[in-house]
Structure formats: C-alpha cells, structure tokens
Amino acid sequence: MLLFGLLGFTLLLFFLIFGWYLSQLPKTPDTHQDSKQMPKVSVLLAARNEADNIRPCLEALNNLRYPADRLEVLIGDDRSEDQTRALIQAYIADKPYFRLVDVTYDWGRASSKGNVLAWLAHEASGEYYFITDADIRVPPDWIHGLL
C-alpha cells in the first residue's frame, strides 16, 4: 500500500514538473488569429550590389507566416551598380506588399546602410520595424518570434 502511494506521489510530482516545463517553452504562433488584431509591421531591407544574394532573401521574406495585409517589405536600393535593382523589380512585380525605394542621395549626415535605413524608416507605415540584410534568409516565423 505504501509502495502505491509513493508511486502515485512520484508520478504526480513528475507531471507537475513536466507541465511547468512545457509552459515555459516558446509558444507556437497562432497563424489563424484574426489579421486585424495583429500589428502592422514593416520589414526594412537595405541592398547595394547584392545580385548574388537578393533573390533567396526576397524568397524568405515572401515565405513569412504573417498576414500580407499587415505586412510591408521595403527594399532600399542604394545606387547598386550590378543587377540588384532589376532582380528586385522582377521579383516583386506581382507582390503588392513589397516596395522598392530608390535611394538617390544621402539623408542628412547618414551614409551607406544608415542612409538607406533612414529612407526606409521615413517611408514605413508599420507599428514595428524589422531590419534584415540581403545576405540573410529569415525563418518563416521570424516576425511572430520577435513580437
């Protein structure tokens, strides 16, 4: 009898600890949540001479698990001298939440990537800004994981 009581107590303790452990794990985002309840976000991507990297980056951004009506992807082309701009234009042609911003001059004292991000931040309309680089492939749940 004592053995069964001890075994029962041990199992109860195990399940309590295991339940607590599971409650501490990161939650899987609810991708079925009403999109109007989700914040609008802006992804800012600075690119200069990134012809070798830009397409996989754009594909990863297109595969984000976030409602398209709550997402804008702003790509700043910093006067690229290769095919970066043409590749971006071709890829985003049928994606209304992607937008190419041509950076034509330096904004204030900003230069290089800081200048591009200043342009993009000025154009952005999201409640939150997410910044990435052209050589990064963000995971599909990137935005959910950071919100």
Side-chain angles (χ1 to χ4, degrees), residues 54-67:
I54 198 67
R55 184 166 179 94
C57 176
L58 295 174
E59 288 171 349
L61 292 171
N62 192 46
N63 290 327
L64 286 170
R65 290 188 199 123
Y66 202 79

Side-chain angles (χ1 to χ4, degrees), residues 26-31 33-43 64-67 70-71 126-131 140-147:
K27 305 292 186 254
T28 303
D30 181 8
T31 55
Q33 182 180 357
D34 180 21
S35 69
K36 295 298 178 200
Q37 295 176 356
M38 301 176 85
K40 182 166 184 185
V41 300
S42 299
V43 175
L64 286 170
R65 290 188 199 123
Y66 202 79
R70 308 303 295 157
L71 174 67
E127 295 173 55
Y128 297 96
Y129 297 172
F130 293 80
I131 299 171
D141 291 322
W142 180 54
I143 292 174
H144 282 290
L146 294 173
L147 283 177

